[in-house]
Each structure stands twice: as structure tokens, then as C-alpha cells.
Amino acid sequence: MGIPVKLQVFEGPLDLLLHLIEKNKIDIYDIPIVEITDQYMDYIQQMQREDLNIMSEFMVMAATLIDIKCRMLLPKEVNEEGEEADPREELVQKLLEYKMYKYMSYELRDRMADASRCVYKESTMPKEVLEYRPPVSVEDLLGDLTLAKLQEIYRSIIKKQEDKLDPIRSKFGKIEKEEISLEDKMTDMKRYARTHREFSFRGILEKQASKIQVIVTFLSILELMKIGYIQICQEKLFDDIKITSLKYGQPEEEEVEEEQQTGEEQADETD
């Protein structure tokens, strides 16, 4: 009758390999693959597991070790860089990663064990004590502050504000809305047309003092042309437009009568 032996339970094939390497005090970067493979095969032959999925993982690792063992017996391969490829390199990387995560889990386990032995008590200090703040005296607030330092701070603030100002726009005056109506401008244009038989369109616009006056003057010229007070012409493309007065030299009274007559005609047409 055989003597029952209780084997150590491992988390997986990498855990078993790492155990064998540490047990035999082997350099993980120079694994004697023949010796480790033999020990690994002896161990899994003694394992008795009901979970075939877990057992299959150990068998896959066994096949991997045998494959590496066979490649170690063959002539060494040379990679693209001219260096000899080590069949154990991929296995070594997996073992190093597994070892790192394993010891990290030990660290977390120890911290959890330490935390389980700690008991925290909520604060029972009265609210008035928590909210209390010692009074601050004026001397502590001012410290070594003097009038000279205050003046220096004031000047630096003023200088920063001056640097923010636009050197050109800051000299502009207040912009106010210029009140001008189309009717007033038409009256001025009629007076100008009675004293000038012909004048330049560009010249009359250049005489205006503001942009709004240019716009209203342009609209008044269109209105006077519409009611037959003036006419415009241009001899060639891009030439100046000439404005000719059709009421040149007429007295102002006749102009008023004509305006009234024109207004009555327009009212009749509307009716």
C-alpha cells in the first residue's frame, strides 16, 4: 500500500514552474530546460485533479517545455540581426511577468490584512469647536507693510491698467449718433441743384463729413432723380458720374408749388 503524499496546490503552470526555479535556486534568465522539464513532468504525473480544464493548462505547458527542449538540441537559429535566438526567451518573459503580478498580490494581501485590524472612529468634536477660528489682529495682517510699499503696489496696479489701454483707440472721443433725415438732405440738395447746373457725383459725396451723411446724400440723389428733379449720366465706363439739374435757376416758391402738385398727384394715384 502506497503512502499518500499531499502535493502543494499551484495556481497554474507558471506558478509551478516558478516554484521549481526558486526551489532549485536557478537563474530565471538561464533555465536548464532539460532538468526543469523532467521535474515538471514528474510533478504533473503525481497530480490528481478532477478539473480537466485546469489539468489541460498544465499539459499545454508540458508540451511547450518539451518543444523548447527539442529546439535546444538542434543547431541554434539566427535572427534578422545576426544574433542567435534563444528558444527560452518567450517563456522567461512570461515567468517574469507572472512573478511581478504574484508579488504585487502578496503586497495587496498584506495591506488588506493590516487594514482589517484597524478601527476608525468618527469625530465627536462639537461643531462650535470645529468652526472656531482664532481672531487675527491688524498688526499680524499688516506685518511689515508700510506706506511706501502700499504706494509701490498702487503704482504697479495703475501701470498694469495703463498697459492694457490701446494707445490709439484710447484717444478717441465719445461717438455720438448724428441726427440727419432724408427730407432735410433732399432740401439741401434741391438748393444746391438750383445754383449748380451740373456737378460731380463723387465730388458731392466727398464733401460729406461722415459716413451716415454719405449714405443719406446718396439716397436723396436717388429720390430727386426719381421725381425728375435731376438726371445723371456717365459718358464712359469708370468715368465720374455727372449730375445735371433740371430746376436750375428756378425760384424757391415755384419749387414749393411743384412739390405740392406732385404730392397731390401721388395721392390721387394712391386713391
Side-chain angles (χ1 to χ4, degrees):
M1 182 177 179
I3 301 175
V5 178
K6 184 177 180 181
L7 301 176
Q8 182 178 351
V9 179
F10 297 98
E11 296 294 333
L14 290 175
D15 194 22
L16 173 56
L17 277 178
L18 191 63
H19 167 73
L20 295 175
I21 290 173
E22 294 177 349
K23 177 182 178 182
N24 293 278
K25 298 181 180 180
I26 296 172
D27 184 6
I28 196 170
Y29 293 98
D30 188 18
I31 301 175
I33 200 68
V34 176
E35 181 181 350
I36 289 297
T37 303
D38 294 340
Q39 293 184 15
Y40 184 88
M41 296 300 296
D42 292 341
Y43 193 90
I44 62 173
Q45 287 176 2
Q46 301 175 26
M47 294 175 62
Q48 296 179 359
R49 290 178 176 270
E50 298 179 357
D51 193 341
L52 295 179
N53 293 327
I54 297 178
M55 192 62 191
S56 63
E57 295 178 2
F58 285 87
M59 295 303 295
V60 170
M61 178 57 69
T64 302
L65 290 173
I66 294 174
D67 178 66
I68 296 174
K69 179 180 178 181
C70 294
R71 285 191 291 167
M72 293 286 291
L73 298 175
L74 297 174
K76 295 184 178 181
E77 300 177 357
V78 180
N79 56 22
E80 297 178 354
E81 299 177 356
E83 299 177 354
E84 294 182 353
D86 190 348
R88 302 169 295 178
E89 183 177 358
E90 184 177 356
L91 178 62
V92 170
Q93 293 298 327
K94 290 182 179 180
L95 286 171
L96 290 174
E97 291 180 4
Y98 178 79
K99 184 177 181 180
M100 178 183 65
Y101 289 120
K102 181 177 181 179
Y103 284 100
M104 287 176 61
S105 66
Y106 290 164
E107 179 69 20
L108 293 175
R109 182 191 62 188
D110 295 341
R111 291 190 179 187
M112 184 177 66
D114 295 339
S116 63
R117 293 191 293 268
C118 297
V119 179
Y120 297 93
K121 177 179 177 297
E122 295 184 359
S123 176
T124 56
M125 189 174 294
K127 182 179 179 181
E128 294 77 7
V129 177
L130 293 175
E131 295 179 352
Y132 174 77
R133 297 293 181 273
V136 181
S137 63
V138 179
E139 290 76 10
D140 295 337
L141 287 176
L142 294 178
D144 58 348
L145 190 63
T146 61
L147 291 177
K149 289 187 176 181
L150 283 175
Q151 187 177 10
E152 183 180 352
I153 295 172
Y154 174 77
R155 287 179 178 176
S156 63
I157 295 174
I158 295 299
K159 188 177 183 303
K160 289 181 180 179
Q161 295 298 326
E162 291 176 352
D163 292 341
K164 293 179 181 179
L165 296 177
D166 191 328
I168 298 177
R169 296 184 179 181
S170 60
K171 298 180 181 179
F172 289 171
K174 184 178 180 182
I175 300 176
E176 297 181 355
K177 182 179 179 182
E178 184 177 4
E179 298 293 340
I180 182 171
S181 64
L182 180 59
E183 291 78 9
D184 294 340
K185 181 56 69 174
M186 287 180 64
T187 302
D188 295 340
M189 288 299 300
K190 286 179 180 180
R191 292 173 181 170
Y192 190 83
R194 284 197 305 270
T195 58
H196 296 76
R197 183 183 298 276
E198 187 178 89
F199 51 93
S200 169
F201 175 74
R202 181 186 298 273
I204 197 67
L205 294 181
E206 289 178 350
K207 293 180 180 180
Q208 307 306 312
S210 63
K211 184 177 180 180
I212 187 64
Q213 288 192 11
V214 172
I215 296 173
V216 178
T217 301
F218 177 74
L219 294 176
S220 65
I221 291 174
L222 294 180
E223 289 294 330
L224 293 178
M225 184 178 64
K226 180 179 178 181
I227 64 176
Y229 206 93
I230 59 174
Q231 65 179 7
I232 63 174
C233 65
Q234 185 181 32
E235 295 180 358
K236 296 180 181 180
L237 188 62
F238 302 116
D239 282 354
D240 190 13
I241 299 174
K242 299 295 183 181
I243 302 176
T244 305
S245 174
L246 301 179
K247 303 294 182 178
Y248 175 72
Q250 292 187 6
E252 188 174 356
E253 290 77 11
E254 295 179 0
E255 178 185 343
V256 175
E257 292 177 358
E258 289 179 1
E259 289 179 357
Q260 292 177 354
Q261 183 178 359
T262 303
E264 291 175 356
E265 291 176 354
Q266 292 179 353
D268 294 339
E269 291 177 358
T270 305
D271 296 338

